[in-house]
Structures are given as structure tokens and as C-alpha cells.
Amino acid sequence: MRRRAHQKAVKEQDGMGNRLYVGNLSFSTTRETLESAFAAAGEVLEIAMPTDRETGQPRGFAFVTMGSAQAANSAISQLNGALLDGRALKVNEAQERPARGFGGGGGGGGGRGRY
């Protein structure tokens, strides 16, 4: 929790967060390949590569947390549009996910009138 508070404070200071969204990844891209590419721009603190719950396959995107806002800016300018494993990367600042409410929405309504 302390790390998040620090990251939030850093983001508020300079307007830029350290967490980056990396899209259009090849399904064959590994964490090591990604870390190597981003390490050229600065210190890499964390890499998260979500996978599909059912198949375990990569979902084609990742989140990379850089050591500083300067490193994050450098990574965006160096790697956005760059080729990695044959794919042009999309790199930008990760957006905070809006809080998800509980309760879910509507259900089916009993099946009448669906078809």
C-alpha cells in the first residue's frame, strides 16, 4: 500500500504516472523480452502481463511500471510505435480503472420475449 501512496504522490507532483499501458503485444512476447526493451529507457519496477482466465494465453497487452516519471516519458517516446516481436507497440500512460460497483446489473428477466 505504501508503494501506491508514493506513486500517487509522484504522479500528483509532475502530472505523469510511472505506470504504462503496452498494447498490441505479440502472444509470443515474454516478460523478459518486454523488460529488456523497457530497461533501455530506464529502471523497470514491475511488469504485469494479464492472461485469459480460461485458456491461460496472454491477452496481448501489459502494464509496465517504470522507476520514475522521466523514465516513463522516455519509454513512451522511444517505444510507442516501435517493433517488438514483429508488432508495432502502443505505449502510453495507463489510465486508472474506474471503481467497479457491486450488484451487477440486470439479469435476464425470466426468458419471456427473448427470441
Side-chain angles (χ1 to χ4, degrees):
M1 190 65 156
R2 187 175 284 178
R3 177 189 278 182
R4 283 192 182 193
H6 173 72
Q7 287 176 344
K8 186 175 182 180
V10 168
K11 185 172 185 173
E12 289 171 357
Q13 283 176 352
D14 57 22
M16 171 73 187
N18 302 356
R19 188 169 165 93
L20 302 175
Y21 166 82
V22 184
N24 200 34
L25 288 176
S26 166
F27 293 134
S28 65
T29 298
T30 65
R31 184 180 308 275
E32 292 76 23
T33 304
L34 202 55
E35 184 170 8
S36 176
F38 278 80
E43 179 187 15
V44 176
L45 297 180
E46 181 182 18
I47 295 178
M49 295 180 75
T51 56
D52 183 273
R53 282 187 205 139
E54 294 179 17
T55 66
Q57 294 294 326
R59 294 182 59 196
F61 66 93
F63 295 97
V64 177
T65 304
M66 301 298 289
S68 68
Q70 182 178 352
N73 278 327
S74 181
I76 290 171
S77 63
Q78 289 177 33
L79 297 169
N80 189 38
L83 289 179
L84 183 67
D85 293 334
R87 306 283 303 256
L89 297 180
K90 177 179 179 180
V91 182
N92 53 39
E93 183 179 359
Q95 301 298 310
E96 289 292 324
R97 179 188 277 184
R100 289 171 38 170
F102 293 100
R112 288 174 38 125
R114 282 189 182 197
Y115 302 104

